[in-house]
Amino acid sequence: MPSGFAGLLGGSVIVEVIFAIPGMGRLLYDAVINSDIPLAQGGVVLVVGLAVAITTLADFLHRILSPKVGGTLA
């Protein structure tokens, strides 16, 4: 199941580039355009790590708080 948060991060790149807003998406876009490979790799690792961490946290919270799923993590 695709994460809504990952789509939100991908959409931020588009918005930042179109409206010339400085941010992480614009930084990654400029790194790819200028062939700055270390910066692009680091930015992608950071964004993917953030998406995985938030998705995992949401899954754990859903498991603990939902009565249908159950409250144990075993």
Side-chain angles (χ1 to χ4, degrees), residues 23-73:
M24 189 67 171
R26 181 69 185 195
L27 179 71
L28 286 175
Y29 175 79
D30 288 340
V32 170
I33 293 299
N34 296 326
S35 298
D36 189 358
I37 303 300
L39 180 59
Q41 286 177 338
V44 168
V45 167
L46 179 69
V47 169
V48 169
L50 185 63
V52 168
I54 289 179
T55 303
T56 303
L57 179 65
D59 286 342
F60 281 138
L61 287 175
H62 177 259
R63 184 170 182 112
I64 291 170
L65 297 176
S66 177
K68 290 183 180 180
V69 177
T72 62
L73 294 175

Side-chain angles (χ1 to χ4, degrees), residues 9 11-28:
L9 287 174
S12 72
V13 174
I14 296 169
V15 170
E16 289 176 9
V17 170
I18 290 174
F19 294 109
I21 301 171
M24 189 67 171
R26 181 69 185 195
L27 179 71
L28 286 175

